[in-house]
Structure formats: C-alpha cells, structure tokens
Amino acid sequence: MSAHFTDRVPDLAMLNGLLARRQEESTPLVVVSGPAGIGKTSLVTRWLRNTAEEFPDGQLYADLRGHSFDGPASPSDILGQFLRALGTGPIPASLAEQTALWRSVTAGLRISVMLDNAFSAAQVRPLLPGGHSGLIVATSRHRLTGLRADGALYHQLGLLDADAAEEVLSRGVGAERVRSEARETRELIDLCGGLPLALCLASARLASRPRQPVRSLVEALTQGQGRLAALTIEGESSVNHALDESYAVLADDAARLYRRLALLPARSMESRVAAVACVIPLAEAERLLDVLVEANLVEDIGPDSYRFHDLVRLHAQGRGQDEERPEVRAEVLRRVCDWYLATATQAQQCLSPIQLTLRRDYEFRPELPGPFTEASGALTWLETRRLDLLAAVRAAYDEGWDDLSWQLVDALWPLFHRLRYHDLWLEAHEIGLRAARRSGDRAAERQMLNSGAIGFGVAGRADDAITWFSWSLDAAREAGDARDEGQALHGLGSAHRQAGRLRVAGDFLHRAIDTWEKAGYVRGAALSRIVLGEMALESEGERWDDRRAAEFFERARTTLLDVGDPYDAARALAFHGRARVLEGAYEAGTRELREALVVFEDAGATPWQARIWEMLGRGAVEHAEVPVARDCLVRAQELYARQSPADAARMEVLLVGLAAKPAEPRDGGVAE
C-alpha cells in the first residue's frame, strides 16, 4: 500500500469543481498546496488521469524541485524540456524568448501540465501555456498566493481525517486487525497526525510483522524524539523515527541499497546505478528496488526511474553516514561516477563517432553495459539523466577527482551541442575548466575552453565567448597545437561577427583558415569560409574582401564533400543558392536551395528547413512571383512558429506586405 493510492474522494470532487469554474478567457490554473508528505503529487496525478479525455493533445509533467537538496529547477530548464517534448527546436537562449515560444506553441492545444513541487509563483509564471483550452496544475508546500493575479484557483490539501486514516491502515494490515485493536489504532492515527506518508510507513511496519500488536508500534513511536503529530508543522523527528522502524525490518541487502543510494548526488536513480553502487547483478538490483518501493521507501516515478521523498532521503543519508565506513562511501561514489563516465562516453560514440575525444581513466572500470544500443536511445538517456550527470561532475570535482570531472564534461558534448541546455552547458564547463587547470592537464584545459566558449556563443554571450576563446588561443600557442589554435581563431571570428564587429571577425577567420590549412585540417578551413560567405551576403554588393559570396560557399562545399561532411556541405549549398539568386541566376539558385532542403528534411533539421523556405520566399518576392513567395513564406512561418516567435513575426510582416503587392512578370535575369 502506498500514499500514492490513498483515497481522496472529497478532494477529487473539489478539483473537479474548480475545473468547472474555469474562466473561458484564460487557461485554468490550479494550485494544490499542503505540507510535505500530504499526498499532493498522488492526488493530482490521479485527478489528471481521470480527466485525460478532456485534454487529448497530451500531458506534460515536470518536477520543479522546490525543496530539493540542491535547489529549485530554473524555469528555463523546464521550458527547454517541455518544448523538446512537443518537437520544438532549437530552443532560444533567453527565458523571455523561451516563454514566448512556449506560449506560441501551446496556443490552441488541449494539454494538461503538472508542475510538481513548485517553490514560488515566480518559478511557475513563465511556465504558463498560451491559449485557453489547456489546464495547468502546480503542487507546492507553499500556498503560492502570488499566482492569484494570474487567475489561479486554490485547493489546500489537508491531513486525513480519522476515518480516512483508518481506511489507509485497514488496506495495509487488514480490517479485522484494525477492528480488534481499535483503541490502539486510534492512538496510532493520532501519532501519525493524519499524514499519509507516516500512515503508510506505519502500515508497512505492521504488515511486515503480523503477530506484533499495534500497541508495540504505538509505544515505539512515543519514545525518543517525540510524536509524528509534529509533522503538521513539517517537523522531521517523528518521521525519522517511523523510518527507523521501517528500515529496521529490511533485509540486509535491501538496507544496504537504501543507504547507499542516498549517498549519491543524483536526484533520481535507475537499476544500473543501484547495481553499481552495491556491486551486484542487475536483476538483483531490480529486485531490491522493488522491495524498497513496496516498503514506501523509494518512489517509482517512471520506467526504470526511482527517487526518494525528501524526508526519506534525509533519513537514508543519515543511515549511510552512520553505518558505512568513509572509505566505503568514497568507493560507492567513485564506482557510480565511473559508470556515468563510461555510459556517457558510450553515448558520445553513438552520437558523434568521428569526434576527437580525450582519454578516459577509470578507477573501477564498469562491466555493466549502458541502457541503450543506438543513437536515439543514447540521446534520450543523456537528456533524462542530465541533472544527475551534472551532479556527478560536481561531486567528482568536490572529491578532488579532477580527471574524472573534466572527462565527464568532455563526454557530455552531444548533450550540450544537440539539446542546448545553456545553463547546464556553461556550469559544466566552468567546473571542467577548473578541474583541468587544477590537474595541470593542458590538453583538457584547451578542450574545456573551446567547447565551453561555443556554449557561451550559443547562449548569446558573445563577449564571454571571446574571453574563453582568447584563453584557448594562448593555451594552444603555448602547447604548439595548430589545430586547437585554428579552432580558437575560428571561434573568435564567429563571436566577433555575432557581436557586430565584422572587420575584426574577418581578420580572425582568415587567420583560422591559414592556420588550419598549414596543419592540414581542411574541414575547419571550409567552415571558416562559410562564415566569411555569410558576412559577404550581409554586406553591400554581396562581397567580402572583394570576393563574391558564392565563391566562399562553392569552395567550402567542395571541401566538405571531399572530407565526408554532407550536412555542412548542404549548408554551404543553401547559402550558395541564395547568393546565386541575388546575383540574378534565379532558377539555378532556386534549384540549389531546394536540393539543400531535401538534405535537411531527411535529417529532420527544422531550423534549416525554415531558413531555406525563407530564402526561397525572398527570392520569389525579388522576382515578383507573388503566389510562389506567399507559399514559401507561409511554410517558413509555420516552421519558425515551432522554435522562434520573433522569426515567425518577421514572416507575418513579409506576408502582410506581400498581400498588397500585385503579381508582375519577372524579367529574365542573368543567362545561365
């Protein structure tokens, strides 16, 4: 029996009443609040399951970690998670842009959103969806009265009354036992204070000892630190006592897993982590996790995903500190961090097989294989475990395992590059850089600087990117590493272009090309030429350094095809097509743009699809093909709407202007 299945019929009726009162002009927002262990999550989960038919476009869930040991989740992190779940990408860097995109994407969708463990109104507000046809429910230990201005409706979840509490115990230990010891049962209910968590733990304790009278548990709970009724004000002493009683009846192997899992920095656990922590087979770890779930000591929150209740984690950590020797605690942490490194490296090899990676060092080389065998599974694992992986990076650094810390950051490159969680990207690299410097590994330091600087650029922080690339340039020259020197120069050029300093950018990009070509790295030189070509397209006469934009793109594409990089070659082709259109070779340029479009459609690259449809639309406008232009710009707008409201708005302006423009026959352009 679990608190997750406690009957709350009156509360369910109250929530249904709140939903019926929803304002037609706004999305229903319901706040369910109450103290820790009261059953907020289980109630709302059950309610949303019952109302699923009213929201056929899907259900979203996020744990806002309002009372987590390492702090509340940022709205930006949650928005990135939600937007990716809806198939939107790439995700903008700023919270304001993310919020605008989220509201644009959800306008008109009939979805329900559960925001669990919210900390404040400010944390919830950016997560409110657009439109009027969805439902958002926030659970919190706080009342979140600040959301009243947003039209929130409130339900305060109270403690179970005596009858409901008796029903909980009857389900766990049997109605006959409750009736035969009615007076003692009432005393136990009073001690538990109506808190579902405490009642479930007490019930599990009694169920495991069917011959023990209820009086024995009552007496145990009144000893020592006080009564469970203190939980009405979120005290922890009584629940610790109850947890001690539940812990005492665990078999040795389950008790060992319980306390060792709590020693880890991860917010959630999976069966492989449990196996590594206790050095046991995977099947045995799965069995022991089931034991802990049945004892209500861990929560089963999804496929192969488990977590502690906040108060239970504190208890388990205490048991681990008291019962595991310091050297054992260190070994458990190191084994799990080594497994994270090996598994992240496996994911990296699936997703970026040609990427140059640095060495990997293991104190306990893992033998257990990862939970995926192909690229999509690897990316899913990286995303779902990203916070646990970052926690491992932090823990390794705090323990002084510097090589492990920066190697973990290095292994997470596909997560950063493909999914673009900006805060995680930057924090990980700041830790990784400190670790590399503290260990004296100069190659690792340059790797952290380069990949971290790219993260600053993606996050729109060009000046920070310049600082990091400048450090990288100095380090590369000190080491005599021409390839890293070219990377730093290329990064500086791209960052200065982002900051609007085009002449400075051009100088750095030319230096990058010279450096890379001397080192024999022609692919890098080609990528720098693409950036120079973009600068030419944006300049007067479509020229840069007296060279046509098309020249940069043509040369870059030839090189990229030669070295087996079709994706970047398609980028060069798209730009070349646009350059040809601007030169007057409309039909030839359009063919190239559509050829590149096929590549990006096959790759599922939505941002590039939108960009090419915009190029096609602009070309059609310039050649007075109004119906074609309208079709292309509408397609671009639809794709941009899923990722960038600002770009979608630009398309709307173009379409409005196009509506008043009569179709005219275009001239013949330049002969091909």
Side-chain angles (χ1 to χ4, degrees), residues 60 62 64 78 82 113-118 124 127 136-139:
L60 295 174
L64 301 191
I78 301 303
F82 281 171
V113 180
M114 180 176 176
L115 303 177
D116 204 11
N117 298 318
V124 170
L127 306 176
I136 187 163
V137 188
T139 71

Side-chain angles (χ1 to χ4, degrees), residues 169 181-192 202 205-206 212-224 226-228 241 245:
L169 291 174
E181 300 183 76
R183 188 179 67 179
E184 292 81 2
T185 297
R186 288 290 177 178
E187 288 183 52
L188 178 60
I189 289 172
D190 288 341
L191 287 168
C192 290
R205 170 72 174 82
L206 290 171
Q212 183 186 71
V214 176
R215 165 60 56 189
S216 296
L217 181 55
V218 170
E219 291 174 354
L221 293 177
T222 55
Q223 296 172 0
R227 300 170 56 184
L228 287 172
H241 202 133
E245 291 297 316

Side-chain angles (χ1 to χ4, degrees), residues 264-588:
L264 304 176
R267 297 186 179 93
S268 61
M269 295 83 71
E270 56 188 295
S271 57
R272 285 172 172 79
V273 167
V276 171
C278 291
V279 198
I280 56 177
L282 180 59
E284 179 68 4
E286 292 170 342
R287 182 189 70 80
L288 293 177
L289 283 167
D290 286 341
V291 170
L292 296 180
V293 169
E294 287 301 314
N296 298 303
L297 292 173
V298 299
E299 299 175 277
D300 182 353
I301 57 173
D304 195 24
S305 188
Y306 305 86
R307 72 178 179 187
F308 285 108
H309 183 281
D310 293 347
L311 301 179
V312 178
R313 175 184 285 277
L314 291 173
H315 176 268
Q317 286 173 339
R319 305 318 306 165
Q321 293 291 332
D322 291 344
E323 300 181 35
E324 299 285 3
R325 300 189 311 276
E327 61 269 24
V328 172
R329 297 199 299 266
E331 179 180 327
V332 169
L333 179 59
R334 182 63 192 239
R335 284 185 180 276
V336 171
C337 286
D338 278 350
W339 183 80
Y340 277 135
L341 174 60
T343 308
T345 298
Q346 180 188 343
Q348 183 183 36
Q349 291 166 348
C350 283
L351 295 162
S352 307
I354 64 172
Q355 180 184 349
L356 176 66
T357 57
L358 300 179
R359 73 177 197 277
R360 299 288 183 261
D361 302 316
Y362 301 98
E363 185 171 336
F364 301 98
R365 182 174 290 276
E367 298 179 359
L368 193 64
F372 49 81
T373 57
E374 37 73 39
S376 62
L379 193 60
T380 297
W381 182 83
L382 286 173
E383 180 167 27
T384 57
R385 302 299 176 195
R386 66 190 184 278
L387 299 178
D388 300 332
L389 289 161
L390 181 59
V393 170
R394 294 190 196 109
Y397 181 80
D398 290 343
E399 291 291 326
W401 302 331
D402 293 327
D403 288 347
L404 174 58
S405 184
W406 66 252
Q407 287 172 18
L408 268 168
V409 177
D410 185 43
L412 297 179
W413 172 252
L415 169 67
F416 306 137
H417 188 245
R418 295 201 181 195
L419 300 182
R420 305 202 169 196
Y421 287 103
H422 304 109
D423 292 345
L424 185 151
W425 188 339
L426 300 181
E427 181 183 351
H429 280 84
E430 286 167 346
I431 297 171
L433 178 60
R434 292 198 300 270
R437 285 176 168 170
R438 194 165 67 180
S439 70
D441 192 314
R442 300 293 280 169
E445 179 182 349
R446 297 196 301 276
Q447 187 87 335
M448 294 299 98
L449 285 170
N450 284 329
S451 51
I454 294 170
F456 280 115
V458 169
R461 295 169 58 178
D463 288 339
D464 288 317
I466 289 168
T467 298
W468 278 50
F469 276 126
S470 297
W471 291 340
S472 175
L473 181 60
D474 292 340
R477 286 173 172 168
E478 178 184 325
D481 189 322
R483 181 159 170 166
D484 273 1
E485 181 178 349
Q487 179 64 61
L489 291 167
H490 174 86
L492 285 166
S494 297
H496 279 289
R497 179 201 169 212
Q498 183 180 10
R501 296 183 283 268
L502 299 188
R503 281 296 164 193
V504 176
D507 179 61
F508 276 116
L509 290 166
H510 280 299
R511 290 161 62 188
I513 291 170
D514 291 342
T515 302
W516 267 334
E517 288 184 335
K518 289 176 182 176
Y521 185 47
V522 294
R523 177 179 177 272
L527 296 177
S528 290
R529 287 193 174 94
I530 289 179
V531 181
L532 286 171
E534 291 182 80
M535 291 167 57
L537 277 181
E538 297 162 2
S539 301
E540 185 177 353
E542 294 84 48
R543 302 179 75 86
W544 187 264
D545 293 338
D546 292 328
R547 295 183 186 177
R548 296 165 41 246
E551 294 179 37
F552 290 108
F553 299 130
E554 185 173 358
R555 184 170 178 182
R557 180 170 184 256
T558 299
T559 300
L560 292 166
L561 290 174
D562 287 344
V563 300
D565 185 356
Y567 186 91
D568 286 314
R571 289 201 303 124
L573 177 63
F575 283 129
H576 188 269
R578 176 58 180 156
R580 294 295 307 277
V581 169
L582 289 172
E583 291 175 346
Y586 176 66
E587 293 180 2

Side-chain angles (χ1 to χ4, degrees), residues 139-207:
T139 71
S140 179
R141 296 184 193 179
H142 303 306
R143 294 180 182 269
L144 303 185
T145 54
L147 291 175
R148 196 174 300 278
D150 299 278
L153 303 172
Y154 291 85
H155 181 63
Q156 177 73 16
L157 196 57
L159 298 170
L160 296 178
D161 61 26
D163 291 339
E166 184 174 311
E167 176 64 18
V168 170
L169 291 174
S170 295
R171 291 181 181 182
V173 303
E176 178 59 32
R177 191 175 179 186
V178 167
R179 281 195 298 270
S180 66
E181 300 183 76
R183 188 179 67 179
E184 292 81 2
T185 297
R186 288 290 177 178
E187 288 183 52
L188 178 60
I189 289 172
D190 288 341
L191 287 168
C192 290
L195 187 74
L197 172 63
L199 286 162
C200 288
L201 292 169
S203 178
R205 170 72 174 82
L206 290 171

Side-chain angles (χ1 to χ4, degrees), residues 244-278:
D244 281 340
E245 291 297 316
S246 294
Y247 176 74
V249 300
L250 290 175
D252 289 345
D253 50 3
R256 182 184 306 110
L257 178 61
Y258 172 74
R259 60 181 180 260
R260 288 191 176 186
L261 287 178
L263 295 173
L264 304 176
R267 297 186 179 93
S268 61
M269 295 83 71
E270 56 188 295
S271 57
R272 285 172 172 79
V273 167
V276 171
C278 291

Side-chain angles (χ1 to χ4, degrees), residues 604-621:
T606 302
W608 269 100
Q609 293 173 44
R611 193 165 183 181
I612 291 178
W613 280 116
E614 180 181 353
M615 291 181 189
L616 287 167
R618 288 184 178 278
V621 169

